[in-house]
């Protein structure tokens, strides 16, 4: 009983707080918001300051957030005694990660809101050609480079993985496009409604969905399961899209017309309903093995553009997501990256080879496919560059 009482009062914060000598940077699981505010403030301010010199080079804000995360992480500031333990202790990172991923889900919903499906239909042929070429070439080169990785970095005591499964995983990692990073760049550069933006967005969706299906196949093979799991995931995703189109969207449109939200703009209740649909959609795609962001994106696509509905919903929540949530998400990858672990020549050689092969193959495949589809060289090169986005989702 005494032990239970002691454990229950171990994290009690005094009523006087700092006035009674409490340290607000000490993580308290019963009051995680205090340290979270410190973390969010550090990340947002640091990334904003870092963006200023990068903006002179016309770099989007997401670049500052990714670099800022690396600088704040163990690679740089982690060498300052007590910095990581005080500001970013391991026990507090799940809370930061939760808020960051919620922000990512809402951001992809906003991207879906800004996209008009009619542009997808017009550009589907170009998107199909670019998507096939931009995935096939890096996939093949990923298969080629996988053997060296498999033999060089295989460690004793880890789960035994057949080379075929390992090769499939590396090839998928090489061939996908980082959908969140791509969307962030398209949004900041105001390219979402341009032909180039619509094409790369369409291709990015296809690339990543195929990538998640193949990843499910890898996991099934490692766990000695059935490869049919990947097929069921793809079927479930397609069935869910049809369900959204023919069941959820008509009911949602009926509700909007009944409440005159298309004419007068969304009320707070309609915004709440829209966000509930978004979270439910993200939940479903998450539990079937496709990332949550695709469910949120589909929910955004489902929303109508009539009467400026999508624009008005965007105006209500856009700034909060862009200013608070997104910097946390993109900085998170750097916070968990330790460049210092790349401590020998052969490791760095593979890092450089991976970067060169991944970017060059993706760029070349997408650019030449776009050019063969009738686009001019400038647009084709832009598509190749945008399709080369890499990330850590």
């Amino acid at each position: 009983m005494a032990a239970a009482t002691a454990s229950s009062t171990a994290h009690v914060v005094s009523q006087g707080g700092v006035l009674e000598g409490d340290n607000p940077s000490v993580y308290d699981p019963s009051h995680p918001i205090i340290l979270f505010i410190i973390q969010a403030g550090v990340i947002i301010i640091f990334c904003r300051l870092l963006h200023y010199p990068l903006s002179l080079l016309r770099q989007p804000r997401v670049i500052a957030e990714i670099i800022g995360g690396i600088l704040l992480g163990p690679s740089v500031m982690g060498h300052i005694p007590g910095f990581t333990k005080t500001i970013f202790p391991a026990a507090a990172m799940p809370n930061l990660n939760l808020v960051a991923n919620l922000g990512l889900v809402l951001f992809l919903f906003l991207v879906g809101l800004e996209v008009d499906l009619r542009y997808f239909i017009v550009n589907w042929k170009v998107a199909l050609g670019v998507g096939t070429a931009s995935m096939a070439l890096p996939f093949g080169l990923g298969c080629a480079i996988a053997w060296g990785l498999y033999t060089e970095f295989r460690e004793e005591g880890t789960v035994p993985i057949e080379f075929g499964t390992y090769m499939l995983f590396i090839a998928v990692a090489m061939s996908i496009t980082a959908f969140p990073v791509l969307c962030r760049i398209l949004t900041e550069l105001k390219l979402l409604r341009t032909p180039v933006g619509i094409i790369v967005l369409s291709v990015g969706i296809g690339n990543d969905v195929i990538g998640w299906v193949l990843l499910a196949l890898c996991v099934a093979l490692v766990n000695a399961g059935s490869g049919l799991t990947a097929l069921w995931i793809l079927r479930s995703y397609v069935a869910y899209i049809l369900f959204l189109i023919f069941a959820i969207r008509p009911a949602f449109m009926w509700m909007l017309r009944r409440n005159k939200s298309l004419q007068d703009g969304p009320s707070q209740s309609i915004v709440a309903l829209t966000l509930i649909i978004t979270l439910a959609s993200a939940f479903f795609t998450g539990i079937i093995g496709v990332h949550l962001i695709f469910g949120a994106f589909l929910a955004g696509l489902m929303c109508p553009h009539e009467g400026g509905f999508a624009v008005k919903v965007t105006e209500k929540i856009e700034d909060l997501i862009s200013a608070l949530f997104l910097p946390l998400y993109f900085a998170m990858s750097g916070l968990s990256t330790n460049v210092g672990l790349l401590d020998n020549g052969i490791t760095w050689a593979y890092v450089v080879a991976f970067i060169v092969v991944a970017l060059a193959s993706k760029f070349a495949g997408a650019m030449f496919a776009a050019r063969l589809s009738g686009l001019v060289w400038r647009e084709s090169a832009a598509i190749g560059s945008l399709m080369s986005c890499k990330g850590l989702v």
Side-chain angles (χ1 to χ4, degrees):
M1 180 65 71
T5 303
S7 63
S8 65
T9 59
H11 297 288
V12 173
V13 179
S14 62
Q15 187 66 33
V18 294
L19 300 179
E20 294 185 3
D22 283 343
N23 184 352
S25 66
V26 174
Y27 177 65
D28 181 2
S30 62
H31 295 83
I33 186 66
I34 300 297
L35 183 58
F36 172 80
I37 292 173
I38 296 174
Q39 294 171 331
V42 169
I43 291 173
I44 293 170
I45 294 173
F46 186 79
C47 292
R48 287 271 169 174
L49 293 174
L50 186 61
H51 175 63
Y52 175 72
L54 291 175
S55 66
L56 301 178
L57 301 175
R58 303 187 68 182
Q59 295 299 307
R61 196 178 301 278
V62 64
I63 303 301
E65 291 162 359
I66 293 173
I67 296 175
I70 294 174
L71 295 178
L72 289 171
S75 301
V76 181
M77 292 190 180
H79 293 289
I80 300 174
F83 178 82
T84 299
K85 186 177 180 180
T86 301
I87 306 299
F88 300 107
M93 295 309 288
N95 297 322
L96 186 62
N97 188 56
L98 173 63
V99 177
N101 278 278
L102 175 61
L104 181 67
V105 167
L106 294 176
F107 172 64
L108 266 297
F109 163 68
L110 289 180
V111 173
L113 277 178
E114 292 193 44
V115 174
D116 194 326
L117 280 173
R118 291 172 294 183
Y119 295 112
F120 277 112
I121 297 172
V122 171
N123 294 284
W124 75 269
K125 288 184 179 180
V126 179
L128 180 62
V130 172
T132 302
S134 67
M135 198 164 190
L137 184 57
F139 189 93
L141 293 176
C143 291
I145 204 172
W147 176 251
L149 285 171
Y150 186 76
T151 55
E152 181 68 32
F153 297 103
R154 184 167 46 180
E155 298 181 9
E156 297 295 331
T158 57
V159 176
I161 300 176
E162 297 293 332
F163 173 69
T165 305
Y166 184 89
M167 180 181 68
L168 177 61
F169 177 82
I170 297 299
V172 169
M174 293 281 282
S175 58
I176 62 173
T177 296
F179 194 58
V181 178
L182 175 64
C183 291
R184 189 75 188 279
I185 293 174
L186 291 176
T187 301
E188 291 193 21
L189 299 181
K190 302 187 184 305
L191 294 174
L192 277 176
R193 294 181 180 272
T194 65
V196 167
I198 294 298
I199 290 169
V200 296
L201 198 62
S202 306
V203 177
I205 295 169
N207 273 194
D208 272 28
V209 169
I210 293 173
W212 281 101
V213 171
L214 293 177
L215 179 62
L217 176 61
C218 289
V219 174
L221 294 175
V222 169
N223 294 329
S226 171
L228 291 176
T229 301
L231 181 59
W232 279 110
I233 290 175
L234 183 59
R235 286 179 175 178
S236 300
Y237 189 65
V238 172
Y240 178 63
I241 293 175
L242 296 176
F243 178 70
L244 274 179
I245 295 173
F246 296 107
I248 299 299
R249 191 175 193 277
F252 186 59
M253 291 294 293
W254 175 84
M255 177 69 73
L256 295 181
R257 291 192 180 99
R258 186 168 182 264
N259 288 276
K260 297 183 179 180
S261 295
L262 296 179
Q263 299 93 330
D264 302 334
S267 64
Q268 189 178 94
S269 297
I270 291 298
V271 172
L273 175 62
T274 306
L275 293 178
I276 289 172
I277 292 173
T278 300
L279 295 177
S281 183
F283 169 79
F284 183 79
T285 56
I287 64 173
I288 65 172
V290 182
H291 201 281
L292 287 82
I293 60 176
F294 297 105
F297 180 77
L298 289 175
L301 283 180
M302 182 195 71
C303 292
H305 288 255
E306 291 92 324
F309 177 83
V311 174
K312 292 172 183 175
V313 172
T314 301
E315 290 174 347
K316 287 178 177 289
I317 60 177
E318 182 177 30
D319 288 343
L320 177 63
I321 295 170
S322 298
L324 175 61
F325 289 111
L326 287 184
L328 303 184
Y329 175 78
F330 288 107
M332 279 294 295
S333 59
L335 289 172
S336 56
T337 301
N338 189 355
V339 180
L341 295 178
L342 306 175
D343 55 0
N344 59 65
I346 189 65
T347 304
W348 273 107
Y350 270 102
V351 169
V352 174
F354 247 88
I355 293 173
V356 171
V357 171
L359 296 182
S361 60
K362 197 77 173 176
F363 177 83
M367 181 179 67
F368 287 113
R371 184 71 182 97
L372 292 174
S373 298
L375 276 70
V376 300
W377 279 113
R378 182 182 177 86
E379 292 177 327
S380 301
I383 290 174
S385 299
L386 289 166
M387 289 304 301
S388 301
C389 292
K390 296 295 179 183
L392 297 174
V393 169

